[in-house]
Amino acid sequence: MTEVSSLTGRLLVATPALADPNFDRAVVLLLDHDEEGSLGVVLNRPTPVDVGDILEGWGDLAVEPGVVFQGGPVSLDSALGVAVVPGGATGEAAPLGWRRVHGAIGLVDLEAPPELLASALGSLRIFAGYAGWGPGQLEDELVDGAWYVVESEPGDVSSPSPERLWREVLRRQRSDLAMVATYPDDPSLN
């Protein structure tokens, strides 16, 4: 088996050619990527469900819009908390109940008391479900041209306008990739 270069902390941005409706114009933050597979959350799929309605105490810490996001098609009955801790604390400086994934972005232990993390969090999003790939599956999709891989920014996790995130992430690229942001929703209408 070939060695897998980790993409943890990077974004997968769906190409217009990606046919899977679960990932139409999706922006996925990869939380884990190694030879055993990949796991991420879709950052731009808000639901109408308020965080406080399903996770007592966490609603006050979630950034606007304070709703649960559909993190992907796998395990929709489970919740993941992704938070930005200013400065990306590591080691002993990391807040209890937060595990660094990449830079200032990390996973929150939703079993921990919310007040334990309240003062440390810069932003928090709650995701129902996740996107997952088995060994080599994501690499095959990358070869097939299903995803653009780009660097993440801490603000991607807490974008106040998640419906515009696909275009915003593409637009900030310093290459021809920025032009893809202008791709029409329905090219047949051109």
Side-chain angles (χ1 to χ4, degrees), residues 157-176:
V157 172
S158 58
S159 173
S161 303
E163 68 283 352
R164 294 196 315 245
L165 190 60
W166 186 83
R167 290 189 192 282
E168 289 172 356
V169 168
L170 288 170
R171 194 172 293 122
R172 74 177 183 230
Q173 303 310 306
R174 297 177 185 210
S175 65
D176 291 343

Side-chain angles (χ1 to χ4, degrees), residues 50-62 108 110 112-118 121 124 126:
D50 288 332
V51 171
D53 291 346
I54 62 163
L55 290 171
E56 189 175 332
W58 291 102
D60 294 337
L61 300 178
V108 172
L110 296 173
E115 55 275 3
L116 190 66
L117 289 146
L121 299 183
L124 169 72
I126 303 296

